[in-house]
Amino acid sequence: MSKNKHRSNVAPKAKAQAKNDSRQPAGQPNAPMVKKGEKKKVGRGAGRGAGPAAGRGRGASALRKKGAHVLEQVTDTVPEDGMLRHQHILKAHTDAIMAIVMAEEFIYTASRDKLLKRWKPQRNAQGRFEMMADIEVPLGEIPWCLISAGEWIFCGLGNGKIRGYSKAGREINLEGHTKRVSCLLTHEHVLISGSTDGNVRFWQLDPGSQTFVCTHTISEGISGSINCLSILDQGLWVGGTSGVSLVELATLKVALQVQPKKFVAGLLQFTGHMIVVYSDGSVCIYNALGQQTHSQPPLPAGPVMCVVGLDSGPRVLCGHAKGQVSSITLPMFQLKKCWQALERCKVQCLCCAGHDGIFLVGAENGTLQLWQRDAAHATEP
């Protein structure tokens, strides 16, 4: 299992070109959506509607709290930032989509309906990407996270187990956590798991038994449940309900408690810094030593459920509790656009393909969307 590579420089700004929304998707005409061996250009996050504001017989002022983002009509295009929705699958699952991951040839979704589904991406007759349901696997437990690692797909479950499925058809269970496994990460052939039991565990494949063994556990110095994990230089960043703990990989000891101590929605590594997005929508950026270099107040769209890095731009995408998605420019970290992707339900998870500006949105109501950003078609620089 190889360490994720992260984008180390910033793409130049594309010139604004106004186009109509019937454009062809970016990339090669017959290029696959999932590219074999493709690595992420920007770090990943870890991580989790709105019709008109004057709905259900109430005025806009009654529907929003002071300072809250006004709910807008759901849209399938965001011309200001070159965003286009390719596909909208209602009831892709019968309950919330908790995690999405892209492997070499397929897309996997895990849902609160206790199913793991595999989707085959392809282009339709109009040249747009679409996903076709392939197979589904009953998990027996609610899944909370997914990761693709070599020949394996690992799924963190609500009972504390990690379920692994290999290309060869093997199925294994990694047991150790006592509560739900909320996040998974790979680093130098090691699988790292975080749980709401407050522990971080490190797993390695035993060549003899061909099973994964827990080699180390971090149980001291981390306060609260764990939501997300990320690596920056020689530090493991652990985000949870009580802020971020910075762990030295050399000693596996907590070296620093990063302020502020509040609920972390996602972590994203970018050009030697760690972007920390909190659930209230506020953002802080730190260097590798945990020193704060930037902070900003909550985003206009409010509470954040999930965070991901998009190669096109590049951008930080934040999924919000009321169905909006915010697009933030890098490295300036300025809000470019916020739009209503879903109607009155949470953006539960986001996933970036790592190429051609493609990303997926998983909804609390089981809806699955496929989007693409094409900078050449953005109407604003």
Side-chain angles (χ1 to χ4, degrees):
M1 294 180 281
S2 61
K3 179 180 179 181
N4 284 348
K5 301 295 182 182
H6 302 284
R7 189 182 184 99
S8 60
N9 50 30
V10 180
K13 293 183 178 179
K15 295 182 179 179
Q17 297 180 358
K19 299 285 184 180
N20 60 42
D21 290 327
S22 62
R23 63 185 183 272
Q24 289 291 321
Q28 298 299 320
N30 297 312
M33 188 171 72
V34 179
K35 293 185 177 180
K36 187 173 183 179
E38 190 78 33
K39 295 184 178 179
K40 300 286 185 290
K41 303 296 190 299
V42 185
R44 293 176 58 197
R48 311 284 176 246
R56 300 187 181 179
R58 293 183 291 173
S61 61
L63 271 177
R64 64 184 180 186
K65 295 180 180 179
K66 184 178 180 180
H69 187 75
V70 179
L71 302 184
E72 299 176 353
Q73 293 283 0
V74 173
T75 184
D76 60 1
T77 58
V78 187
E80 296 91 338
D81 203 21
M83 301 288 187
L84 172 70
R85 191 181 74 195
H86 286 253
Q87 190 178 23
H88 178 92
I89 306 175
L90 286 171
K91 298 298 180 183
H93 285 271
T94 59
D95 208 331
I97 299 176
M98 305 303 293
I100 306 171
V101 71
M102 290 193 175
E104 288 184 351
E105 298 177 356
F106 299 99
I107 296 165
Y108 295 85
T109 56
S111 168
R112 207 156 52 195
D113 63 11
K114 301 181 182 180
L115 290 177
L116 174 67
K117 287 190 176 184
R118 190 174 78 177
W119 305 80
K120 178 70 175 177
Q122 61 187 33
R123 285 188 185 268
N124 61 22
Q126 291 72 42
R128 292 196 177 193
F129 288 120
E130 63 180 14
M131 297 170 288
M132 302 297 294
D134 185 28
I135 61 172
E136 62 180 48
V137 178
L139 295 170
E141 291 285 340
I142 294 176
W144 289 87
C145 55
L146 281 174
I147 193 169
S148 174
E151 67 168 312
W152 292 92
I153 295 291
F154 290 104
C155 184
L157 302 178
N159 62 359
K161 294 181 181 180
I162 302 171
R163 184 79 47 79
Y165 298 96
S166 75
K167 289 182 179 178
R170 291 185 61 202
E171 178 181 330
I172 60 172
N173 284 303
L174 284 60
E175 300 186 24
H177 288 293
T178 57
K179 295 182 180 179
R180 73 171 181 244
V181 179
S182 49
C183 48
L184 294 166
L185 178 70
T186 57
H187 176 66
E188 295 182 354
H189 306 288
V190 178
L191 176 67
I192 308 173
S193 59
S195 168
T196 55
D197 63 12
N199 293 339
V200 176
R201 289 181 176 267
F202 297 77
W203 309 82
Q204 287 185 277
L205 181 65
D206 180 85
S209 64
Q210 286 297 298
T211 59
F212 284 83
V213 178
C214 181
T215 57
H216 299 86
T217 302
I218 302 174
S219 57
E220 296 181 359
I222 299 173
S223 57
S225 300
I226 298 170
N227 303 323
C228 46
L229 301 167
S230 189
I231 298 283
L232 176 59
D233 291 345
Q234 294 304 308
L236 171 65
W237 293 62
V238 182
T241 55
S242 299
V244 175
S245 301
L246 181 52
V247 177
E248 290 182 345
L249 286 174
T251 62
L252 296 184
K253 301 290 184 182
V254 175
L256 180 68
Q257 296 290 345
V258 180
Q259 299 297 324
K261 289 199 164 200
K262 56 184 181 179
F263 199 113
V264 179
L267 300 168
L268 185 68
Q269 190 222 338
F270 182 75
T271 61
H273 288 74
M274 187 64 69
I275 301 169
V276 182
V277 182
Y278 296 94
S279 62
D280 64 359
S282 62
V283 180
C284 291
I285 300 177
Y286 304 87
N287 62 21
L289 299 177
Q291 299 167 335
Q292 188 179 112
T293 60
H294 173 80
S295 66
Q296 65 184 50
L299 293 164
V304 173
M305 301 296 297
C306 49
V307 182
V308 73
L310 185 67
D311 59 295
S312 176
R315 295 285 189 267
V316 175
L317 299 179
C318 297
H320 294 275
K322 293 188 176 181
Q324 301 102 332
V325 176
S326 291
S327 175
I328 302 168
T329 63
L330 289 173
M332 300 307 294
F333 216 86
Q334 295 177 342
L335 178 64
K336 178 64 179 178
K337 185 66 179 176
C338 176
W339 73 95
Q340 199 74 44
L342 301 167
E343 185 175 2
R344 299 190 182 280
C345 71
K346 297 174 183 176
V347 177
Q348 197 73 40
C349 58
L350 293 166
C351 178
C352 174
H355 62 85
D356 290 331
I358 296 166
F359 62 97
L360 294 103
V361 176
E364 184 185 33
N365 64 1
T367 295
L368 182 62
Q369 295 182 347
L370 193 159
W371 288 78
Q372 183 178 29
R373 179 181 186 271
D374 182 2
H377 293 306
T379 58
E380 296 179 3

